[in-house]
Amino acid sequence: MSFMTTFTPADHLGAVARAITTTVRDGREMRLLRVSRSYDATPEEVWAALTDRERVPRWLMPIEGDLRVGGRFQLEGNAGGEILACTPPKALQVTWEYGGQSSWVDAALEPVDDGTRLVLEHAAPVEPPELWEEFGPGAVGLGWELMLMGLAEHLADPTFTPPSPDTAPSPDIVDYLTASSHGWAEADASSGTDPAQARAAAERCLTAYTTVPEDPGA
């Protein structure tokens, strides 16, 4: 099954802006990944899709937890964390805990002429540097783009159902991820990374995203 039902890969690619900078948070150096895109919906509608317990699984994955400031959330088979701040329908701040690593995610909604712009910033420690050097910013960026793609499909078609994470990516998704990976390599190089290193890391990241692990029980 194709992930995309309403939009083409070009539609999604043209809607996304990518950037990478360095910042400091809690006295630690961080890589700050910024991804944004606009939606043809009001801030209230986008906010509801982002935060409603019943709607999140329709474009992302099942979610559990105490969904209020100070509470903790857990996405099925993915990240969990604490809800740090919530200002409907403008801003959401959470910790993002996955694979033994903790980082921070800030999401902001801005009304624009044609709808709403979602600006998402993910601040992650540079340690261990080996992980960043191996896969580059796409390790986080590609995942966020797929999530924001699912959100766009859901807002356009409430009957949309995201594919299982164990499903092999369809050709249109592989095409999208390939182009997106190149985009993150360019953003990485623009932030100061050696261009050849950025491209090599992007290729390794793309392979990781487009290869379905073998079933050990098969």
Side-chain angles (χ1 to χ4, degrees), residues 4 6-16 37-38 149 153 176:
M4 303 177 198
T6 304
F7 304 97
T8 68
D11 291 333
H12 285 297
L13 282 168
V16 175
R37 69 172 294 166
S38 295
M149 179 190 295
E153 295 285 351
Y176 179 87

Side-chain angles (χ1 to χ4, degrees), residues 20-22 31 132 185-195 197-198:
I20 306 162
T21 57
T22 300
R31 291 288 270 174
W132 183 274
E186 292 176 4
D188 196 15
S190 295
S191 74
T193 301
D194 176 78
Q197 179 182 332

Side-chain angles (χ1 to χ4, degrees), residues 16 40 72 74 81 116 120 150 164 166 183-184 190 217:
V16 175
D40 185 17
R72 293 189 61 81
Q74 178 64 52
T116 302
L120 187 145
S164 166
D166 297 325
W184 282 111
S190 295

Side-chain angles (χ1 to χ4, degrees), residues 10-33:
D11 291 333
H12 285 297
L13 282 168
V16 175
R18 309 169 188 86
I20 306 162
T21 57
T22 300
T23 188
V24 175
R25 186 158 185 167
D26 291 351
R28 303 170 67 191
E29 183 179 355
M30 302 274 169
R31 291 288 270 174
L32 182 66
L33 177 147

Side-chain angles (χ1 to χ4, degrees), residues 158-185:
T159 66
F160 168 75
T161 302
S164 166
D166 297 325
T167 302
S170 60
D172 56 358
I173 286 297
V174 173
D175 290 344
Y176 179 87
L177 289 173
T178 300
S180 176
S181 184
H182 293 162
W184 282 111

Side-chain angles (χ1 to χ4, degrees), residues 109-166:
L109 300 182
E110 305 170 349
V112 293
D113 290 342
D114 56 350
T116 302
R117 179 182 296 114
L118 170 59
V119 179
L120 187 145
E121 294 185 337
H122 191 151
V126 296
E127 309 93 4
E130 296 80 10
L131 184 62
W132 183 274
E133 292 169 2
E134 182 176 5
F135 296 114
V140 175
L142 292 183
W144 281 120
E145 286 199 45
L146 289 176
M147 292 181 189
L148 299 186
M149 179 190 295
L151 178 59
E153 295 285 351
H154 168 70
L155 289 168
D157 178 9
T159 66
F160 168 75
T161 302
S164 166
D166 297 325

